[in-house]
Amino acid sequence: MASFSSSTSTTQKLSIFLTIFSLLHLISAARNTPLEDPATTSLLQYHQGPLLSGKITVNLIWYGKFTPSQKAVISDFVTSLSPNTPTTKSHIHHPSVSTWWNSIGRYYHIANKKASTLSLSLGKQISDESYSLGKSLTSKHLVELASKGAKSNAVNVVLTASDVAVDGFCSSRCGTHGSNSRMGRDKFAYIWVGNSETQCPGQCAWPFHQPIYGPQNSPLVAPNNDVGLDGMIINLASLMAATVTNPFGNGFYQGPKEAPLEVASACTGVYAKGAYPGYAGNLLVDATSGASYNANGVNGRKYLLPALYDPSSSTCSTLV
């Protein structure tokens, strides 16, 4: 992270970073700069609502055409989130996806909940290759698609193909998360992420594509050799972290409820130590492919994951 004057507060530092990086990499709805709160040293406020807990299934709803290898990139990432994967632990090198995910436990401790109460597992995978709702979707369509997954104890993830347009996609968001209730009872959380490869990779797949604004450094090599899918992983990871810590709009966030600053968006554009505007940080590089990454997953996968805001140190925490 670039150096600042010692008179600048931690929150102000992150405000400056967020303002600059938001031009390079949009994650969900339009973001607001952090608000100064003299009553707390933490950037994100806890609004006393529930965090996701218990055994949660992550269901994938594929909308449009995805290849089997593309689906494997996403499903392997979800499986990698759990530290108790069937894969022999010695086969997963460090730093790992599960180590990144476990850092979210800090928020459970702040909320007086045990970090171990959340357990994720890969659930159903539903494919809609016929574009049943067309190729131009609204937010209402996204909720309809998400409803195809489990109605309770679930995070239903809608993934749209590169030829599907979604309201606000590219212009103000690369994905989003929310919740929906069924008959006023069961509530489930959902996420939508789009494949930006042909529509706006400079906004939603940076640093694997040159940004549309800011320094025009050479893009990094994507760890799974798919700019669109590796960009989706970054956005999905960010939104998964936001979903469990702010599932129903009254968890951890700062700013307006309609466009909140959350655990990953507070560190937009930061992926490793030494990051600064236009530079993702000092990442690991695969000796064979030249791909940049910061986390290892199951089946030999490598991923690039965003930094998460650490409330205990008021900094953006990275794996490398």
Side-chain angles (χ1 to χ4, degrees), residues 73-92:
V73 170
I74 300 288
S75 59
D76 281 351
F77 168 69
V78 174
T79 301
S80 298
L81 292 171
S82 172
N84 299 314
T85 61
T87 307
T88 303
K89 290 185 179 181
S90 62
H91 291 170
I92 302 179

Side-chain angles (χ1 to χ4, degrees), residues 228-248:
L229 263 291
D230 280 297
M232 291 181 81
I233 288 293
I234 292 173
N235 295 314
L236 176 58
S238 300
L239 291 165
M240 282 293 297
T243 296
V244 301
T245 55
N246 186 32
F248 308 120

Side-chain angles (χ1 to χ4, degrees), residues 67 130 145 171 208:
T67 66
S130 64
L145 289 170
S171 63
F208 303 126

Side-chain angles (χ1 to χ4, degrees), residues 23-106:
L23 295 175
L24 302 175
H25 183 66
L26 301 174
I27 291 181
S28 56
R31 299 300 187 191
N32 291 271
T33 54
L35 302 178
E36 193 76 51
D37 182 4
T40 178
T41 58
S42 178
L43 179 67
L44 305 183
Q45 291 182 326
Y46 179 43
H47 295 78
Q48 305 305 312
L51 279 59
L52 286 191
S53 60
K55 295 182 178 179
I56 303 293
T57 59
V58 180
N59 305 293
L60 306 180
I61 297 96
W62 303 93
Y63 189 81
K65 292 181 170 59
F66 290 87
T67 66
S69 60
Q70 288 179 320
K71 291 182 177 181
V73 170
I74 300 288
S75 59
D76 281 351
F77 168 69
V78 174
T79 301
S80 298
L81 292 171
S82 172
N84 299 314
T85 61
T87 307
T88 303
K89 290 185 179 181
S90 62
H91 291 170
I92 302 179
H93 300 289
H94 293 283
S96 67
V97 174
S98 61
T99 299
W100 173 83
W101 183 250
N102 286 343
S103 67
I104 294 175
R106 300 182 184 107

Side-chain angles (χ1 to χ4, degrees), residues 119-202:
S119 174
L120 295 181
S121 62
L122 181 63
K124 296 190 299 183
Q125 297 195 50
I126 302 167
S127 294
D128 185 345
E129 295 187 352
S130 64
Y131 303 90
S132 63
L133 299 178
K135 290 189 176 183
S136 182
L137 304 181
T138 65
S139 294
K140 184 177 179 180
H141 288 141
L142 298 179
V143 174
E144 182 177 342
L145 289 170
S147 298
K148 295 179 181 292
K151 300 301 190 297
S152 61
N153 299 317
V155 176
N156 297 330
V157 180
V158 177
L159 303 149
T160 52
S162 59
D163 57 349
V164 177
V166 178
D167 281 354
F169 189 31
C170 297
S171 63
S172 63
R173 59 183 183 173
C174 304
T176 193
H177 79 96
S179 62
N180 194 51
S181 59
R182 182 189 185 195
M183 301 294 289
R185 296 174 297 171
D186 294 334
K187 256 187 180 180
F188 66 89
Y190 68 87
I191 292 171
W192 158 69
V193 177
N195 186 333
S196 67
E197 184 174 17
T198 60
Q199 298 184 54
C200 56

Side-chain angles (χ1 to χ4, degrees), residues 260-276:
L261 183 75
E262 297 172 301
V263 58
S265 57
C267 299
T268 302
V270 179
Y271 297 94
K273 291 179 175 62
Y276 56 80

